[in-house]
Amino acid sequence: MITSTTTLVPDSPAAAYDAYRQAASAVFLAGTQGLKYRKEHYELAVDLSKAGLSYIEEEGDEIDIGAMTPLWQIKISPVIQKLAGGAVSRAISDIADKDIQRYGTLGGVISGKGAFSVLLPILLSLHVDVLLQDKGRMSLEDYLQCPPMGELVTGISIAREEVYTAYKAYRRPSRSSCHCPVGQ
Ligand SMILES: Cc1cc2nc3c(=O)[nH]c(=O)nc-3n(C[C@H](O)[C@H](O)[C@H](O)COP(=O)(O)OP(=O)(O)OC[C@H]3O[C@@H](n4cnc5c(N)ncnc54)[C@H](O)[C@@H]3O)c2cc1C
């Protein structure tokens, strides 16, 4: 797990981003499911748990999801289950590590830009904008291609539209975990 000299628990995204930008080295604490495997030391850890970023809201023709919303909560949300034939909920169910489902957050997945993510391809097939503190919004596709900019992801907006989906996740087994007899 990472360590830090100081930890702050700001009560707004603006305060969180301000503190993060002013520190010589800083990290956001979200669900800590990625950070628990890392060993770096930071001057400041900015705990986002009280920054008001956990929500799922219907706003006109968009659905807004806050960055600190845990993945399990997105998975069971009736609003999300109705969206795109439930593909987003099913993608979260396919995350093999149950701790990631339980504690991992949307912001952690989006900012991680993981090529192995089962959730990002589904979101890329919808119209999704990433909301950034002090930097406005940009399409998820553009955001994923940007180099890290030290940004705070505050959430995403998904366009509510009639789409038809077919969904299948396939993870290629690693050599060590494949026990298939040769030739089958
Ligand atoms: C074993 C394992 C399996 C995984 N499998 C999958 C998978 O199948 N599918 C998938 O999608 N992902 C997978 N992941 C990646 C996983 O999504 C992330 O590691 C985790 O969800 C990060 O979310 P978190 O909330 O725990 O973030 P944290 O661990 O708290 O933070 C991780 C990093 O993200 C940054 N961060 C967090 N929130 C924000 C924010 N709002 N704005 C800017 N930066 C932020 C932090 O500064 C930190 O650098 C896997 C990870 C592991 C370790």
Side-chain angles (χ1 to χ4, degrees):
M1 179 69 184
I2 59 114
T3 55
S4 65
T5 310
T6 314
T7 301
L8 277 184
V9 191
D11 61 4
S12 70
Y17 192 46
D18 207 35
Y20 177 85
R21 272 193 306 188
Q22 286 182 29
S25 67
V27 68
F28 292 117
L29 297 184
T32 67
Q33 293 310 295
L35 293 178
K36 71 183 180 184
Y37 294 104
R38 286 164 43 182
K39 303 267 185 249
E40 303 97 354
H41 181 83
Y42 294 89
E43 180 189 292
L44 178 66
V46 181
D47 180 341
L48 296 174
S49 62
K50 303 272 190 290
L53 291 175
S54 183
Y55 56 84
I56 300 171
E57 288 171 359
E58 297 178 83
E59 289 285 338
D61 54 4
E62 292 185 331
I63 299 167
D64 293 343
I65 310 177
M68 282 299 284
T69 313
L71 297 177
W72 70 266
Q73 213 167 315
I74 299 171
K75 178 171 100 170
I76 65 164
S77 157
V79 175
I80 302 302
Q81 283 177 344
K82 269 189 240 144
L83 178 76
V88 173
S89 296
R90 289 176 55 201
I92 294 172
S93 299
D94 276 333
I95 297 177
D97 185 325
K98 297 300 172 212
D99 279 348
I100 303 259
Q101 284 195 34
R102 196 171 307 135
Y103 305 113
T105 64
L106 177 69
V109 171
I110 299 286
S111 64
K113 304 183 180 184
F116 54 85
S117 170
V118 293
L119 183 55
L120 290 178
I122 303 301
L123 294 177
L124 275 172
S125 73
L126 305 172
H127 286 103
V128 175
D129 276 354
V130 179
L131 314 176
L132 301 170
Q133 182 64 36
D134 292 353
K135 292 182 180 167
R137 59 193 282 171
M138 66 198 295
S139 74
L140 175 63
E141 195 172 352
D142 287 345
Y143 175 75
L144 293 177
Q145 287 170 24
C146 284
M149 301 177 292
E151 72 283 4
L152 168 61
V153 174
T154 59
I156 62 171
S157 264
I158 307 176
R160 208 199 324 238
E161 55 195 341
E162 192 90 351
V163 286
Y164 297 91
T165 55
Y167 170 75
K168 177 96 184 132
Y170 174 74
R171 204 177 282 272
R172 192 173 55 180
S174 63
R175 278 176 185 275
S176 56
S177 67
C178 179
H179 303 293
C180 302
V182 176
Q184 288 199 349

